[in-house]
């Protein structure tokens, strides 16, 4: 079994979104297409599957096991779904029916389902068992962690016997641990003589999958080769730029390895002091007895998987949420708006129905920074003025996050709490945005509290990294109860560079 | 002055064809209701010698079973319905919005009391509330006004409270708090721009509901006391004569339908093409 | 008065402030709290609704008390007239009533006594017929349930299939017909619609009886009057919900597993649409009960609405109180059933404010 794509062209109106001349997917070798959003890589996957959105037209041919199919004609491939080819969905948590138990959702994909329901259920339970989520068979999807939902989705997609697996951004929304498990699953599929086409912007996943890697940019494939060659020694300028944007390779004056952390003396002045704070939700502790101090100019990162309570800890430190026990003390200087926050989705951090400039004018009127400060910052971040006359929903995520940084800097903050500020951005945009933030932080000697799920990012930016840990996996676990800083007085500082 | 005209024009341009037609229809009806008293000064004057007189040039809608001018009564009834409806909806919006924002902002006891009250009210069909209030002193206009306003404020309160609570606990307001921007900023930039379109839509529903409530009460016989003309009451009175004098029943029914269609049309978002 | 859904539509169309990833995180955090008591959600729903039932009863009762206090004339005379008949009222019997009921006591004491009666389920006697109210209410309650149940069943039986079919082809013929139907039923007040139906089917064709109660054909016209508007709304909501669910990730995934269109519809789309639809029926309970009041008066259907309107006309306060309480409790009952059905259909915990 193998799959071969020829002369694939996808257009919308008069615009060409994908143009790929030739792509061979052999069995037993992973093929991964990497690229940033808007490069057309997801469309390619959907064109192969025959699930393109209405309004997009595809031309070209796909040959599956010697049988040719016209990409423009979708219905012929529909009967291959589940049996010959399957699509592993983005965000498995959303791809599972919230009102149906897991077992039924897997079983309905089994070939026997229509004739012999009992054997289909049996097959489903067996497959779930093989994948290590047998205990979840009778659970509802909302009780699953991201990694478990990913394995359930994998079972549902492959239970019909499909040997061709197309995975579209399968690592979206998964934490590091779940991503590693996902890579293992996909590799197993390939080593079992399957065909695998993975679409991702996650270079780490591509590296783990090995095999062939293709780099896609603006509708075309700009580079292809083995994973090792493309992802360590790229020849195309774009691939080089992409790789350099990975936080672990950043070369900036403010990268923490080259900067100097402030002296950690016990009697130095502090900005925030947390003493044995505990916070839970319901009867469960998110974290307990966390004691830590943030000093002027310090850069502290809280890293950890989703659900570990790191954002909640940040909000408690900012006194946006009250702790259940313990206390948080702020230095007097922090009053009057010297403490600012950046949000994961900047679009929800601005009043949604008025142009951005209207809100910014209120800030200027209230705090009266030196005249021309706003314009100077806009220039420094290469943002054009007319951007500000749009409502926040009409500005791209990266640009809007930079506007949010500007808004925070107008108040000359002493501490910025950045809550996953770049987790929704592409690599290159992430680097741009972090540069914009860190240049300001560096210049003003302001302290930074960064919450991120990306340890590499945390290490690149922070002097100190605090990791939230997960308890040992429980088969049907109720999310990860973070055990952040469970030791009583000193936080577990895992990475000091 | 000219600036005001310009802004009205700009607003009109933003409306779709259906919305403009609906607005025109409602304006026409309003002119009829307002100008009525000059043309037909006494809508209750009887002239039994002219009972069930068919429409003519001098009496465009004919006369009813007591020889009263149907057009005159209709104009008067329309004015009454529209006035009560607008008064009720204005009262309900102002009260509901203030209470809603207060409850969402202050939380605590204020919220508990107001929310508990609204939970009880919400199990009462609006018509039931109006019926009960009008039972206190039947046929008087103020009970009708009070009843409808009382029935409607709950809706505005609930929507404004839910929406405001969501916004106030959201990241945009949190950011505004960290930026030390005061309550006026939150009201003007966050709450009001968000609530305005919602309230506008609800108000067109509310006016329709109020007009309907007045006429329904008149129809079942516990609304405005006769002989004051009222749409629902006119329809009840006319029904026995539907065969001999169809103008009597068709005219008020048509006005009612036009009001509802007009308000419905204001909400259609079809493009002006 | 058919537009309470405005409020709900307003709320449900609001985009969630939590973004997808945060929501996932939030629900996962939440689970720990919920799972401890598996039976809790249903108990919480029942407790909330019970509280609502009590508070609405108190509200109605207090309103009725205020009505009595505000009625023109001497209350003792009115009650005496109710007890002994209008022609046998004397100053002495009025004084007896006054002493008996403590009508000289301060208002708050009277209100407390009024509430105490309510707690004992003593709704008093009708001022018009002199019979105990509770006894008099049996027929109205069953008639109203009969009418409302028939109308609701009819509206669902027509509206839901139409909505499902209309969702197959957005902007298709059936979809447009539904839109016109909804607009039409909004623009035509229920009492006008009822009159039209009477004119056409009873007066003109003579097919169906216009008024009365007893034979099976009596219920047709009033139930149809109520169902026309409701079925349009159900069709609209079903269509929107089904169309929206069809674009969801889990439907796309189900299809890509190799499931046929029918299987996807039956196994995934309808079940999820049911969650929204059940909640919507709860919202429409108010509209339905309102309609019942109007339509009963129009068709002389001997239900609660009919009784209420008559009682208000005659200022028969005990009957007003009992009928109003019964109607309000009917709304609460429908909503309780809807809530429980929603819990059964959708296992997810209700989203509340969760620290993320």
């Amino acid at each position: 079994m193998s799959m071969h794509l020829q002369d694939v062209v996808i257009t919308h109106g008069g615009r060409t979104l994908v143009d790929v001349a030739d792509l061979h997917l052999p069995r037993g070798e992973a093929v991964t297409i990497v690229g940033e959003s808007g490069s057309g890589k997801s469309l390619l996957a959907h064109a192969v599957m025959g699930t393109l959105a209405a309004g997009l037209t595809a031309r070209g041919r796909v040959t599956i096991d010697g049988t040719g199919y016209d990409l423009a004609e979708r219905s012929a491939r529909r009967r291959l779904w589940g049996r010959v080819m399957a699509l592993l969905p983005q965000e498995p948590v959303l791809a599972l029916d919230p009102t149906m138990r897991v077992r039924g959702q897997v079983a309905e994909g089994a070939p026997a389902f229509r004739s012999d329901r009992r054997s289909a259920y049996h097959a489903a339970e067996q497959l779930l068992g093989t994948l290590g989520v047998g205990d979840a068979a009778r659970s509802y999807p909302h009780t699953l962690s991201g990694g478990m939902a990913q394995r359930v989705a994998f079972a549902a997609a492959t239970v019909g016997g499909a040997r061709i697996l197309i995975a579209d951004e399968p690592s979206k929304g998964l934490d590091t641990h779940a991503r590693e498990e996902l890579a293992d699953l996909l590799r197993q599929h390939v080593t079992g003589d399957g065909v695998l086409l993975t679409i991702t912007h996650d270079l780490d996943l591509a590296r783990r999958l090995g095999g062939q890697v293709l780099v896609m940019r603006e509708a075309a494939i700009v580079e292809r080769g083995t994973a090792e060659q493309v992802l360590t020694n790229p020849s195309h300028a774009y691939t080089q730029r992409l790789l350099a944007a990975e936080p672990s390779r950043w070369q900036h004056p403010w990268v923490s390895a080259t900067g100097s952390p402030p002296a950690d003396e016990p009697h130095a002045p502090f900005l925030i002091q947390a003493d044995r704070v505990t916070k839970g939700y319901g009867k469960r502790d998110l974290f307990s007895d966390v004691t830590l101090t943030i000093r002027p100019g310090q850069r502290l990162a809280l890293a950890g998987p989703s659900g570990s309570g790191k954002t909640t800890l940040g909000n408690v430190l900012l006194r946006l949420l009250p702790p259940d026990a313990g206390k948080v003390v702020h230095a007097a200087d922090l009053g009057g708006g010297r403490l600012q926050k950046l949000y994961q989705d900047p679009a929800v951090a601005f009043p949604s129905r008025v142009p951005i400039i209207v809100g910014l004018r209120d800030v200027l009127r209230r705090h009266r920074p030196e005249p021309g400060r706003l314009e100077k910052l806009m220039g420094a971040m290469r943002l054009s003025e007319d951007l500000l006359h749009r409502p926040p929903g009409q500005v791209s995520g990266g640009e809007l996050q930079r506007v949010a940084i500007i808004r925070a800097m107008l108040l000359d903050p002493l501490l910025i709490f950045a809550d996953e500020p770049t987790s929704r951005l592409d690599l290159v945009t992430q680097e741009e945005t972090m540069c914009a933030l860190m240049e300001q932080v560096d210049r003003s000697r302001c302290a930074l509290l960064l919450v991120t799920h990306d340890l590499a990012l945390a290490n690149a930016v922070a002097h100190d990294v605090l990791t939230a840990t997960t308890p040992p996996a429980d088969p049907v676990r109720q999310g990860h109860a973070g055990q952040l800083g469970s030791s009583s007085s000193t936080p577990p500082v895992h990475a000091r560079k | 002055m000219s600036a005001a005209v310009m802004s009205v024009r700009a607003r009109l341009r933003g409306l779709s064809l259906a919305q403009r037609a609906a607005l025109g229809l409602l304006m026409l009806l309003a002119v009829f209701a307002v100008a009525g008293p000059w043309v037909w000064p006494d809508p209750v004057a009887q002239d039994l010698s002219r009972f069930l007189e068919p429409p003519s040039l001098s009496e465009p809608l004919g006369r009813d079973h007591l020889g009263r001018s149907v057009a005159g009564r209709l104009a008067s009834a329309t004015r009454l319905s529209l006035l009560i409806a607008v008064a009720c909806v204005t009262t309900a919006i102002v009260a509901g919005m203030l209470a809603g924002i207060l409850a969402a902002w202050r939380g605590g006891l204020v919220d508990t009391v107001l929310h508990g009250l609204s939970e009880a009210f919400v199990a009462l069909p609006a018509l039931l509330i109006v019926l009960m209030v009008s039972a206190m002193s039947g046929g008087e206009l103020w009970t009708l006004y009070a009843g409808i306003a009382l029935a409607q404020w709950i809706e505005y309160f609930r929507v404004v409270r839910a929406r405001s609570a969501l916004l106030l606990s959201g990241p945009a307001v949190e950011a505004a708090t960290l930026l030390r921007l005061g309550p006026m900023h939150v009201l003007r930039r966050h709450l009001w721009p968000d609530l305005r379109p919602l309230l506008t839509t609800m108000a067109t529903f509310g006016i329709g509901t109020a007009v309907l409530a007045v006429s329904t009460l008149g129809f079942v016989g516990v609304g405005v006391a006769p002989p004051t003309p009222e749409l629902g009451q006119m329809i009840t009175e006319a029904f026995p004569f539907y065969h001999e004098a169809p103008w009597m029943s068709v005219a008020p029914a048509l006005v009612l339908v036009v009001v509802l269609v007009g308000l419905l049309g204001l909400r259609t978002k079809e493009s002006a093409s | 008065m058919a537009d309470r859904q405005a409020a709900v539509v307003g709320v449900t169309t609001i985009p969630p402030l939590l973004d997808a990833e945060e929501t996932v995180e939030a629900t996962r955090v939440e689970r720990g709290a919920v799972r401890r008591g598996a039976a809790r959600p249903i108990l919480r729903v029942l407790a909330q609704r019970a509280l609502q039932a009590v508070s609405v009863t108190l509200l109605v009762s207090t309103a009725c008390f205020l009505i009595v206090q505000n009625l023109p004339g001497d209350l003792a005379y009115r009650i005496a007239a109710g007890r002994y008949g209008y022609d046998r009222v004397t100053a002495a019997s009025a004084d007896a009533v006054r002493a008996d009921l403590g009508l000289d006591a301060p208002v708050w004491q009277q209100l407390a006594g009024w509430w105490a009666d309510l707690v004992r389920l003593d709704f008093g006697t009708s001022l018009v017929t002199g019979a105990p109210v509770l006894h008099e209410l049996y027929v109205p309650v069953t008639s109203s349930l009969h009418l409302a149940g028939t109308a609701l069943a009819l509206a669902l039986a027509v509206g839901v299939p139409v909505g499902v079919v209309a969702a197959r082809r957005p902007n298709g013929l059936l979809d447009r017909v539904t839109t016109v139907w909804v607009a039409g039923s909004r623009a035509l007040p229920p009492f006008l619609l009822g009159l039209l139906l009477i004119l056409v089917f009873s007066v003109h064709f003579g097919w169906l009886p216009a008024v009365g109660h007893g034979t099976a054909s009596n219920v047709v016209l009033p139930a149809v009057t109520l169902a026309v508007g409701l079925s349009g709304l159900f069709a609209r909501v079903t269509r929107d919900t089904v169309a929206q669910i069809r674009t969801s990730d889990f439907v796309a995934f189900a299809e890509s597993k190799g499931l046929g269109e029918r299987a996807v519809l039956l196994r995934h789309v309808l079940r999820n649409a049911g969650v929204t639809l059940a909640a919507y029926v709860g919202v429409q309970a108010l509209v339905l009960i309102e309609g019942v009041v109007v339509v009963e008066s129009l068709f002389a259907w001997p239900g609660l609405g009919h009784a209420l309107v008559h009682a208000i006309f005659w200022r028969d306060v005990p009957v007003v109180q009992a009928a109003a309480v019964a109607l309000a409790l009917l709304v609460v009952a429908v909503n309780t059933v809807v809530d429980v059905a929603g819990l059964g259909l959708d296992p997810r915990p209700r989203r509340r404010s969760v620290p993320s």
Side-chain angles (χ1 to χ4, degrees):
Chain A
M1 179 172 290
S2 69
M3 185 159 81
H4 194 178
L5 297 173
Q6 286 160 292
D7 305 317
V8 181
V9 177
I10 302 172
T11 52
H12 176 68
R15 247 170 57 111
T16 303
L17 302 174
V18 172
D19 186 353
V20 173
D22 181 70
L23 177 55
H24 182 67
L25 293 108
R27 59 178 177 181
E29 188 188 22
V31 175
T32 309
I33 301 181
V34 298
E36 308 222 295
S37 48
S39 61
K41 58 190 194 308
S42 276
L43 296 180
L44 183 63
H46 285 284
V48 173
M49 196 67 188
T51 50
L52 274 181
L56 296 171
T57 43
R59 281 181 285 130
R61 268 186 94 65
V62 55
T63 312
I64 295 168
D65 270 349
T67 315
Y69 296 88
D70 183 359
L71 286 183
E73 214 277 302
R74 299 176 186 200
S75 56
R77 269 163 295 154
R78 198 169 167 158
R79 60 187 175 74
L80 305 182
W81 290 358
R83 311 279 176 273
V84 177
M85 59 201 289
L87 185 70
L88 193 63
Q90 285 190 12
E91 299 195 75
V93 177
L94 301 178
L96 296 172
D97 183 340
T99 65
M100 191 187 271
R101 288 177 205 277
V102 159
R103 186 176 70 152
Q105 301 198 49
V106 175
E108 68 187 7
F113 185 71
R114 293 183 69 175
S115 51
D116 180 3
R117 206 158 280 208
R118 273 187 56 193
S119 78
Y121 277 117
H122 187 68
E125 276 174 0
Q126 225 166 19
L127 182 55
L128 287 168
T130 323
L131 294 171
V133 282
D135 292 338
R138 281 160 207 270
S139 311
Y140 284 103
H142 73 269
T143 64
L144 307 176
S145 70
M148 292 168 73
Q150 181 64 264
R151 276 180 279 172
V152 169
F154 184 86
T158 55
V159 72
R163 299 309 301 150
I164 299 175
L165 188 61
I166 298 170
D168 180 21
E169 295 282 8
S171 63
K172 197 171 166 188
L174 294 183
D175 55 48
T176 321
H177 180 65
R179 279 218 295 264
E180 285 165 18
E181 288 179 353
L182 168 75
D184 290 343
L185 275 184
L186 293 177
R187 264 208 312 272
Q188 271 169 35
H189 178 78
V190 175
T191 47
D193 258 7
V195 175
L196 175 68
L197 173 63
T198 308
I199 311 291
T200 186
H201 71 278
D202 181 349
L203 297 183
D204 220 39
L205 178 68
R207 224 170 253 129
R208 286 175 187 279
L209 290 176
Q212 251 189 88
V213 169
L214 297 92
V215 183
M216 201 159 167
R217 191 199 184 196
E218 285 167 8
I221 285 171
V222 296
E223 180 164 4
R224 61 170 88 189
T226 64
E228 187 166 345
Q229 177 207 329
V230 173
L231 296 177
T232 49
N233 208 355
S235 57
H236 194 277
Y238 175 70
T239 320
Q240 290 165 359
R241 171 85 192 83
L242 201 60
L243 284 173
E246 283 191 282
S248 56
R249 297 169 193 246
W250 283 353
Q251 304 283 335
H252 296 287
W254 44 263
V255 166
S256 57
T258 55
S260 57
D264 195 17
E265 304 155 27
H267 299 293
F270 66 89
L271 290 175
I272 295 180
Q273 208 159 40
D275 186 23
R276 302 172 65 94
V277 290
T278 298
K279 180 88 186 167
Y281 183 72
K283 290 176 185 163
R284 218 165 44 85
D285 282 350
L286 283 171
F287 48 83
S288 54
D289 283 335
V290 176
T291 297
L292 62 83
T293 307
I294 300 176
R295 299 190 190 280
Q298 188 186 1
R299 295 174 200 163
L300 174 69
L302 302 175
S306 57
S308 58
K310 54 194 191 302
T311 294
T312 308
L313 176 57
N315 283 332
V316 167
L317 291 176
L318 259 71
R319 296 206 297 214
L320 293 171
L321 288 175
D324 294 344
K327 69 175 186 207
V328 177
V329 182
H330 282 191
D333 309 355
L334 281 180
R338 309 291 303 272
L339 178 58
Q340 290 300 313
K341 179 173 172 181
L342 299 174
Y343 296 80
Q344 181 179 30
D345 180 4
V348 300
F350 288 85
S352 59
R353 306 230 179 197
V354 297
I356 297 169
I357 187 73
V358 174
L360 281 184
R361 281 203 199 107
D362 285 355
V363 176
L364 295 179
R365 244 195 309 273
R366 170 76 176 72
H367 295 283
R368 308 204 167 280
E370 62 201 76
R373 181 77 192 281
L374 175 64
E375 293 72 18
K376 222 170 102 187
L377 285 165
M378 291 288 288
M381 302 209 182
R382 295 178 301 282
L383 292 170
S384 78
E385 289 275 332
D386 64 288
L387 200 89
L388 299 182
H389 295 277
R390 295 184 230 155
Q394 291 174 22
V395 179
S396 75
E399 286 173 322
L400 195 58
Q401 194 63 284
R402 277 183 278 162
V403 176
I405 294 170
I406 291 173
R407 184 175 69 170
M409 295 315 297
L410 285 175
L411 277 74
D412 292 317
L414 292 171
L415 171 66
I416 290 186
F417 170 35
D419 182 12
E420 300 271 19
T422 56
S423 66
R424 314 179 130 224
L425 303 176
D426 283 329
L427 272 179
V428 174
T429 321
Q430 162 166 293
E431 189 184 12
E432 250 171 44
T433 309
M434 282 315 286
C435 272
L437 172 63
M438 294 312 293
E439 273 163 19
Q440 295 300 326
V441 166
D442 216 32
R443 181 169 312 156
S444 61
R445 317 288 302 158
C446 139
L448 177 75
L449 175 64
L450 175 74
V451 159
T452 178
H453 66 279
D454 184 348
L455 202 57
L457 178 66
N459 283 330
V461 168
H463 303 132
D464 301 302
V465 178
L466 213 66
T467 51
T469 49
T470 41
D474 159 8
V476 189
R477 66 190 160 203
Q478 303 294 310
H480 318 283
Q483 303 283 302
L484 222 167
S486 49
S487 59
S488 58
S489 57
T490 47
V493 176
H494 286 274
R496 248 291 298 127
K497 294 174 64 168
Chain B
M1 188 62 205
S2 70
V5 173
M6 292 285 280
S7 110
V8 167
R9 280 212 184 136
R11 291 224 170 154
L12 274 178
R13 253 202 299 277
L15 296 180
S16 72
L17 206 63
Q19 282 172 319
R20 282 186 224 180
L23 201 62
L25 212 60
L26 289 175
M27 294 294 246
L28 215 65
L29 209 61
V31 168
F32 168 67
V34 171
W38 278 287
V39 187
W40 302 280
D42 188 2
V44 288
Q46 301 184 4
D47 184 352
L48 287 173
S49 65
R50 301 172 68 182
F51 84 110
L52 300 186
E53 192 181 278
S56 64
L57 270 182
S58 62
E59 272 305 338
L61 297 175
R63 287 181 176 255
D64 69 3
H65 59 296
L66 296 175
R68 297 173 297 193
S69 161
V70 173
R73 291 178 64 74
L74 199 59
S76 176
T78 309
R79 193 175 57 233
L80 180 84
S81 289
L82 291 181
L83 277 180
I84 293 187
V86 170
C88 290
V89 169
T90 312
T91 313
I93 286 190
V94 171
M97 198 169 76
L98 290 181
I101 292 179
L102 187 74
W105 203 309
R106 295 300 302 270
L109 188 66
V110 178
D111 187 37
T112 312
V113 169
L114 284 172
H115 182 61
L117 198 62
S118 82
E119 275 294 304
F121 261 103
V122 100
L124 284 176
L127 192 61
L128 198 67
I129 300 175
V130 185
L131 274 173
M132 305 264 301
V133 174
S134 73
M136 287 196 193
S137 149
E140 282 179 38
L141 278 185
W142 75 265
T143 55
L144 214 56
Y145 159 78
I148 297 174
L150 194 65
Q152 290 205 346
W153 81 278
I154 294 299
E155 264 167 59
Y156 300 102
F157 167 76
R158 288 171 71 86
V159 168
V160 169
R161 174 183 174 274
R163 193 65 197 150
S164 304
L166 196 68
L167 287 172
L168 289 174
S169 66
V173 171
E174 185 184 276
T177 314
L178 286 171
L179 289 161
R180 294 288 177 269
L181 300 171
M184 276 318 284
H185 166 85
V186 174
L187 269 180
R188 286 174 62 203
R189 313 293 188 213
H190 297 256
L191 294 184
W192 179 240
D194 193 85
L195 293 173
R196 202 185 54 195
L198 216 60
L199 291 176
T200 315
T201 312
M202 287 178 68
T204 64
F205 272 104
I207 290 179
T209 309
V211 168
L212 200 52
V214 173
S215 64
T216 303
L217 289 181
F219 179 79
V220 295
V222 290
V224 183
T228 311
E230 195 285 317
L231 291 173
Q233 190 200 100
M234 286 175 75
I235 294 174
T236 322
E237 283 176 358
F239 192 62
F241 305 97
Y242 80 97
H243 197 68
E244 306 104 287
W247 54 88
M248 260 179 80
S249 41
V250 169
L254 213 60
V255 165
L256 205 51
V257 170
V258 164
V259 172
L260 296 178
V261 166
L263 290 169
L264 202 67
L266 279 186
R267 294 194 296 268
T268 52
K269 287 193 212 86
E270 238 168 81
S271 62
S273 61
Chain C
M1 317 188 71
D3 286 327
R4 287 233 166 166
Q5 67 275 18
V8 171
V9 170
V11 174
T12 46
T13 52
I14 291 158
L17 277 180
L18 288 173
D19 52 83
E21 215 165 311
E22 259 180 310
T23 325
V24 170
E25 189 165 333
T27 39
R28 242 187 288 146
V29 168
E30 192 178 23
R31 253 178 295 117
V34 172
R35 214 204 167 201
R36 280 182 197 185
R40 262 195 212 152
I42 195 159
L43 287 182
R44 202 180 60 210
V45 161
L46 291 181
Q48 266 172 4
R49 289 296 176 191
L51 190 68
Q52 191 186 29
V54 170
S55 59
V56 75
T57 306
L58 270 182
L59 191 69
V60 169
S61 170
T62 311
C64 287
F65 178 76
L66 290 177
I67 294 173
V68 173
Q69 295 289 317
N70 279 309
L71 280 180
D74 188 338
L75 187 59
Y77 270 92
R78 294 178 60 87
I79 295 176
R83 282 191 186 173
Y84 314 115
Y86 274 98
D87 36 349
R88 275 185 282 167
V89 180
T90 59
S93 63
D95 284 341
V97 167
R98 210 186 311 274
D100 188 20
L101 298 181
L103 291 180
D104 291 326
V107 174
W108 65 268
Q109 270 183 21
Q110 291 185 44
L111 180 61
W114 184 275
W115 280 347
D117 285 346
L118 191 71
V119 172
R120 291 196 304 271
L121 285 181
D122 178 4
F123 282 90
T125 54
S126 164
L127 300 184
V128 175
T129 65
V133 171
L134 217 49
H135 186 255
E136 288 226 322
L137 232 48
Y138 176 73
V139 173
V141 167
T142 49
S143 320
S144 281
L145 280 177
H146 179 199
L147 176 59
T150 313
L152 187 61
L154 199 63
L156 284 171
V158 175
V160 173
V162 167
V164 171
V165 177
R168 282 174 59 111
R169 285 188 50 206
N171 282 322
L173 182 66
L174 190 63
D175 197 15
R176 286 175 200 207
V177 169
T178 319
T179 309
V180 172
W181 178 7
V182 172
S185 64
R186 282 270 177 79
L188 203 61
F191 66 85
L192 270 188
L193 177 67
L195 281 180
L196 275 180
L197 290 178
I198 290 178
L199 275 185
V200 174
F201 291 101
S202 343
V203 181
H204 190 68
F205 290 117
W207 288 345
L208 291 162
V211 294
H213 178 64
T215 56
S217 59
N218 282 120
V219 79
V220 175
L221 280 185
V224 167
T225 306
L226 283 174
V228 164
L230 275 183
S231 59
L233 294 174
F234 287 149
R236 178 95 256 155
V237 169
T238 308
R239 177 222 171 276
D240 290 351
T241 313
V242 168
Q244 187 218 331
I245 289 171
R246 273 171 185 277
T247 64
S248 71
D249 285 5
F250 63 80
V251 166
F253 184 48
E255 282 173 349
S256 84
K257 281 188 260 180
L259 261 65
E261 198 186 345
R262 228 177 101 84
V264 172
L265 182 73
L266 291 177
R267 287 180 64 79
H268 297 288
V269 176
L270 287 187
R271 191 202 306 249
N272 280 277
V275 177
T276 308
L277 202 63
Y280 191 69
V281 169
V283 175
Q284 291 304 316
L286 279 172
V287 178
L288 180 66
I289 299 301
E290 253 170 31
V292 164
V293 173
V294 176
V295 165
E296 281 179 357
S297 304
L298 174 60
F299 289 92
W301 184 265
L304 282 170
H306 192 246
L308 180 72
V309 170
H310 269 255
I312 284 177
F313 193 80
W314 293 109
R315 303 279 183 274
D316 187 351
V317 179
V319 177
V320 170
Q321 165 169 291
V325 166
L327 284 169
L329 291 184
L330 209 58
V331 174
V332 177
V334 172
N335 274 300
T336 311
V337 172
V338 162
D339 283 355
V340 172
L343 282 177
L345 282 170
D346 188 355
R348 284 170 293 185
R350 297 291 174 275
R351 298 251 160 91
R352 310 223 141 221
S353 54
V354 176
S356 61

